[in-house]
Amino acid sequence: MQIAVITGPNMAGKSTFLRQIGLITILGQIGSYVPANEAHISIVDQLFTRVGASDNLAGGESTFLVEMHETANILNNATPRSLIILDEIGRGTSTYDGLSLAWAITEYLHNNIKIKAKSLFATHYHELIALAEDLPQAFNLNVAVDECDGDVVFLRKIKSGGASKSYGINVAKMAGIPSYVLTRANDLLFEFAQKKNDVKLVRKESTQQIDIFNYSSCLIDELKEIDLDKITPLEALNKLNILKNKLK
């Protein structure tokens, strides 16, 4: 097999997995020990990477242009004995532009007999899962996660198959994004999923219309933080009074 398409949520470890393979390949090729019980590593003539997001303001290059320069270098210079590591392609442009580029690049790496390099491609474009299933020399991997009561637990394991979703809103919640934003994002996600290509959403002009739901979410978060084993009856009454006043 030639190309691994790796999906999974942010923070799950996709980038770490890619870097680990790149470093192990270099260590093995120079004759060093590698952090594994067993490793089958082929000789590579070059290691190509397209990782991270950075611009070149002094050179007049945007983040996306830098990304495309790096990708062009890979596509123009890789050989069948190279190792290619791609950590997201097409993030700096529109969704459909980015997806189209990622799809075409994957096909090019797979079909061009002058390249045919072993490739690892981490992506959030779930459409590429179907592409990997169609290409004879491609396969899907995903970083395992467990979802419990709306929270995500990262298992730090790589398994076969594509990820079912990206869990982006869950990760945003972990980062402390306000509850209104999360609620609105979930609503929009549901509408996008339902309408897909025929998305015509009405923009919310004001957040004041659903402040009551925002406060309710905040109250739930405050209730969860109360340690019932340590709070006194008087403190509990005072806390209840504070929460009651917030609903007024």
Side-chain angles (χ1 to χ4, degrees), residues 21 26 40 52 61 63-64 66 86 89 94 98 102-103 105-106 109-110 112 130 135 146 148 156 158 166 181 189 209:
I21 291 179
I26 294 173
H40 299 272
E61 297 179 336
T63 302
F64 181 65
V66 170
L86 302 173
I89 292 289
S94 72
W103 186 291
I105 288 167
T106 305
L109 291 173
H110 182 276
N112 191 329
L135 297 176
D146 191 16
C148 180
R156 313 299 183 190
I158 298 292
S166 293
V181 177
L189 179 61
Q209 299 174 6

Side-chain angles (χ1 to χ4, degrees), residues 56-70:
N56 178 19
L57 294 179
E61 297 179 336
S62 67
T63 302
F64 181 65
L65 183 56
V66 170
E67 178 183 315
M68 289 297 100
H69 276 318
E70 293 175 351

Side-chain angles (χ1 to χ4, degrees), residues 8-75:
N10 283 309
M11 297 293 295
K14 298 190 302 296
S15 297
T16 301
F17 179 68
L18 296 181
R19 288 173 170 83
Q20 173 182 290
I21 291 179
L23 290 171
I24 286 177
T25 299
I26 294 173
L27 289 172
Q29 190 147 318
I30 65 176
S32 174
Y33 290 105
V34 299
N37 292 328
E38 183 179 0
H40 299 272
I41 306 171
S42 62
I43 300 297
V44 299
D45 58 1
Q46 299 174 91
L47 173 59
F48 291 98
T49 63
R50 155 75 292 279
V51 176
S54 62
D55 54 35
N56 178 19
L57 294 179
E61 297 179 336
S62 67
T63 302
F64 181 65
L65 183 56
V66 170
E67 178 183 315
M68 289 297 100
H69 276 318
E70 293 175 351
T71 305
N73 178 59
I74 294 171
L75 299 181

Side-chain angles (χ1 to χ4, degrees), residues 22-244:
L23 290 171
I24 286 177
T25 299
I26 294 173
L27 289 172
Q29 190 147 318
I30 65 176
S32 174
Y33 290 105
V34 299
N37 292 328
E38 183 179 0
H40 299 272
I41 306 171
S42 62
I43 300 297
V44 299
D45 58 1
Q46 299 174 91
L47 173 59
F48 291 98
T49 63
R50 155 75 292 279
V51 176
S54 62
D55 54 35
N56 178 19
L57 294 179
E61 297 179 336
S62 67
T63 302
F64 181 65
L65 183 56
V66 170
E67 178 183 315
M68 289 297 100
H69 276 318
E70 293 175 351
T71 305
N73 178 59
I74 294 171
L75 299 181
N76 291 324
N77 294 290
T79 74
R81 302 196 68 178
S82 300
L83 174 61
I84 300 174
I85 293 176
L86 302 173
D87 192 357
E88 301 288 353
I89 292 289
R91 290 176 300 179
T93 185
S94 72
T95 300
Y96 292 122
D97 276 358
L99 172 59
S100 300
L101 283 166
W103 186 291
I105 288 167
T106 305
E107 285 184 336
Y108 186 79
L109 291 173
H110 182 276
N111 298 332
N112 191 329
I113 59 174
K114 293 183 178 180
I115 300 182
K116 284 288 184 181
K118 289 184 175 63
S119 306
L120 300 167
F121 191 171
T123 182
H124 281 290
Y125 293 129
H126 285 194
E127 292 81 357
L128 295 186
I129 294 174
L131 176 62
E133 292 174 349
D134 290 338
L135 297 176
Q137 293 300 314
F139 62 102
N140 285 300
L141 296 174
N142 74 90
V143 187
V145 298
D146 191 16
E147 190 173 4
C148 180
D149 296 329
D151 294 324
V152 174
V153 178
F154 302 118
L155 303 181
R156 313 299 183 190
K157 294 180 180 179
I158 298 292
K159 63 180 184 179
S160 299
S164 59
K165 57 181 181 178
S166 293
Y167 297 97
I169 296 176
N170 304 76
V171 175
K173 179 180 178 182
M174 292 170 56
I177 295 296
S179 57
Y180 166 77
V181 177
L182 299 174
T183 301
R184 176 62 173 152
N186 271 310
D187 292 342
L188 291 170
L189 179 61
F190 178 79
E191 292 189 47
F192 283 134
Q194 293 296 314
K195 298 183 180 180
K196 294 185 178 178
N197 295 332
D198 185 28
V199 177
K200 296 180 181 178
L201 301 176
V202 177
R203 182 172 63 89
K204 292 288 185 70
E205 296 294 340
S206 172
T207 62
Q208 299 302 317
Q209 299 174 6
I210 61 170
D211 271 352
I212 184 171
F213 300 106
N214 193 24
Y215 277 120
S216 297
S217 180
C218 292
L219 294 179
I220 291 173
D221 291 338
E222 288 190 45
L223 286 171
K224 288 181 177 179
E225 292 176 359
I226 297 175
D227 189 340
L228 297 178
D229 294 327
K230 295 182 180 179
I231 194 170
T232 66
L234 180 59
E235 289 173 337
L237 287 172
N238 289 334
K239 187 66 175 178
L240 182 60
N241 187 54
I242 291 172
L243 296 177
K244 181 180 178 181

